[in-house]
């Protein structure tokens, strides 16, 4: 067992480990190559009786844990959405852990509450979110969307559901492409998954506003109570952007809460040329995006903004005697802005990132990634063995391998095998989705330290596995 005074003795062991990891990261297979149960089998079945040395733990870190890691910070990680980090973020996180404060109310660490307030203002103003809105850091977008739906529920039921339970006929609308966390939020909030109405999308995967409006009307006629709409700014499958401008009008006409899920694509709002995505936001009610996805800040850190913080607090406030302080009402007690009581000092790593990058550094990095993504798609487009199925938007596009004389089913199967071969090699990591019946491969160029040559290298990898397959 170590003491605080041992920190000096061991700190180099840990920081050297991290340095080595960063130096070697590009040599590791991107996706872990282990089989199910392999790591579990190497870990003793019982807690050790006697304490072990840190050296012994670190040795197992290298031998047991590392082979079972998928390297999300590898520049050839192009799967899912990026969950990027940065050196600045890591340093901020280390200091947060060093102090390990519980930042539930202002008094339990005033700096945490006030830095969080400022960081949310910095991002709000740099992203074009209305200046009267206020923000709070949540752990994940899933939690933020749950918070939005619970708040909408309370507004619609005159703040009675918190006390009396939830009526069974409150309806929420989102497109068929909306993230599964919204359906989960329906279950957890008591509204019920069957009360989530999934609206169809057009060929660009964007919500059909006419269908939204007719579903709301049908619900009203059938005695249901329309409650909220969730708009996706950047769906998880294909980064589709719902037409917010038109949807806010529907929300206002029918008096519905409008929540915007921009978990991934929200970061693009630091670039003024993408502000069109949130045109109409001043008529919406809440907005979430994840700095822990594309804003160089390690998990977890989700930024949730609301038009009316009073409503949010009224929904979540609960005040046992032991949390009453004389400063209440004059300061932000963020435990009342979400689900958990205990809260990590997440604003600190964000402060490190935002100050060290500066707005220009953020913009430069995002624009580079967007440009290289476009370059890669352009190269693939000139190659007749590839088809761009979803054209580049931000740092994302979808493609598939094509071959003459094959049916659609055969092509789906071919692309599945193609993706599996690439991922199994460890050279790069990509993921897939389906657009209608079509199996497509998604490309995301979002790791913090990805460079042009990595993207060029991805093209070589795609070529290599194509020739080994056909
Ligand atoms: C990633 C993602 C989420 C879920 O984010 P978590 O922070 O992991 O909960 C929700 N919505 C969209 C559009 C996403 O891309």
């Amino acid at each position: 067992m170590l003491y605080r005074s041992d920190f000096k003795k061991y700190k180099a062991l840990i920081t050297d480990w991290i340095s080595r990891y960063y130096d070697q990261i590009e040599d590791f297979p991107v996706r872990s190559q282990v089989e199910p149960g392999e790591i579990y089998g190497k870990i003793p079945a019982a807690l050790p009786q006697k304490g072990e040395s840190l050296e012994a733990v670190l040795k197992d870190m290298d031998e047991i844990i590392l082979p079972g890691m998928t390297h999300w910070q590898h520049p050839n990680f192009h799967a899912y959405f990026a969950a990027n980090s940065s050196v600045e973020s890591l340093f901020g996180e280390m200091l947060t852990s060093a102090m390990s404060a519980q930042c539930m109310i202002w008094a339990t660490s005033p700096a945490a509450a006030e830095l969080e307030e400022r960081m949310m203002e910095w991002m709000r103003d740099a992203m074009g979110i209305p200046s009267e809105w206020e923000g709070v850091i949540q752990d994940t977008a899933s939690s933020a969307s749950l918070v939005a739906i619970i708040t909408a529920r309370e507004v619609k039921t005159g703040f009675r559901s918190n006390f009396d339970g939830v009526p069974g006929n409150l309806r929420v609308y989102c497109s068929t492409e909306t993230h599964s966390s919204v359906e989960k939020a329906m279950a957890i909030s008591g509204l019920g998954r069957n009360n989530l109405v999934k609206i169809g999308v057009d060929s660009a995967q964007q919500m059909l506003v006419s269908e939204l409006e007719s579903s709301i009307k049908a619900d009203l006629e059938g005695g249901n109570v329309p409650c909220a709409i969730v708009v996706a700014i950047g769906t998880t499958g294909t980064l589709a952007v719902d037409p917010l401008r038109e949807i806010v009008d529907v929300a206002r006409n029918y008096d519905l809460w409008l929540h915007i899920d921009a978990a991934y694509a929200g970061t693009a709002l630091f670039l003024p040329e993408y502000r069109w995505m949130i045109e109409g936001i001043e008529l919406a009610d809440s907005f979430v995006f994840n700095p822990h996805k594309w804003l160089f800040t390690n998990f977890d850190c989700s930024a949730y903004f609301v038009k009316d913080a009073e409503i949010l607090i009224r929904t979540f406030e609960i005040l046992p005697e032991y949390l009453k302080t004389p400063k209440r009402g004059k300061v932000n007690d963020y435990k009342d802005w979400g689900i958990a009581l205990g809260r990590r000092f997440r604003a600190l790593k964000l402060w490190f990132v935002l100050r060290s990058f500066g707005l220009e550094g953020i913009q430069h990095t995002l624009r580079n990634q967007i440009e290289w993504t476009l370059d890669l798609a352009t190269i693939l487009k000139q190659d007749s063995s590839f088809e761009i199925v979803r054209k580049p938007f931000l740092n994302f596009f979808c493609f598939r391998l094509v071959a003459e004389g094959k049916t659609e089913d055969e092509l789906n199967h071919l692309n599945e095998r193609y993706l599996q071969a690439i991922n199994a090699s460890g050279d790069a990591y990509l993921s897939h989705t389906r657009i209608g019946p079509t199996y497509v491969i998604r490309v995301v160029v979002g790791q913090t330290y990805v460079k042009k040559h990595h993207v060029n290298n991805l093209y070589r990898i795609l070529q290599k596995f194509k020739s080994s397959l056909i």
Side-chain angles (χ1 to χ4, degrees), residues 188-203:
I188 300 169
S189 62
L191 267 67
R193 285 169 64 177
N194 289 341
N195 284 316
L196 183 62
V197 184
K198 293 198 178 165
I199 307 297
V201 293
D202 62 15
S203 60

Side-chain angles (χ1 to χ4, degrees), residues 115-135:
L115 185 65
E116 182 161 338
E117 190 176 350
R118 270 292 186 223
M119 289 308 97
M120 296 305 283
E121 289 169 4
W122 280 12
M123 293 195 294
R124 177 195 69 198
D125 296 343
M127 296 171 79
I129 294 167
S131 55
E132 332 70 78
W133 287 38
E134 291 180 74

Side-chain angles (χ1 to χ4, degrees), residues 26 28-31 74-78 376 379-380 383 386 399 401 417-430 441 443 452-469:
E26 296 189 32
F28 292 115
V30 187
R31 194 187 71 180
H74 194 306
N76 291 346
F77 185 101
H78 303 290
L376 177 64
I379 297 171
L380 289 189
D383 184 331
F386 295 108
F399 74 98
L401 206 52
R417 280 193 299 134
Y418 181 52
L419 182 65
Q420 277 165 11
I422 294 168
N423 290 344
S425 75
D427 291 354
Y429 190 15
L430 298 148
I441 298 173
V443 179
K452 174 89 177 145
H453 71 88
H454 295 111
V455 184
N456 293 340
N457 189 38
L458 176 59
Y459 180 61
R460 277 191 295 276
I461 295 166
L462 295 177
Q463 286 292 353
K464 176 172 125 191
F465 285 91
K466 181 188 84 182
S467 31
S468 74
L469 206 68

Side-chain angles (χ1 to χ4, degrees), residues 271 358-370 372:
L271 304 175
L359 183 57
E360 285 178 9
I362 293 169
Q363 291 177 332
H364 180 73
T365 310
L366 299 180
R367 286 194 179 115
N368 272 343
Q369 294 183 359
I370 292 168
W372 299 334

Side-chain angles (χ1 to χ4, degrees), residues 80-82 138-145 177-182 231-237 239-240 261-265 288-290 292-293 299-302 442:
Y80 307 106
F81 277 143
Q138 306 279 1
D139 53 1
T140 59
S142 302
S143 295
S145 293
E177 301 305 304
T178 305
H179 192 265
S180 57
S181 56
V182 174
V231 168
I233 301 292
T235 59
T236 311
L239 219 58
D261 177 3
Y264 184 75
V288 64
F289 93 102
N290 282 343
H292 72 225
K293 273 184 171 157
F299 190 87
D300 51 357
C301 186
S302 186
R442 300 164 75 261

Side-chain angles (χ1 to χ4, degrees), residues 5 11 45 99 112-113 153 191 433:
S5 54
K11 67 179 197 287
M99 297 182 289
R153 179 194 80 187
L191 267 67
T433 190

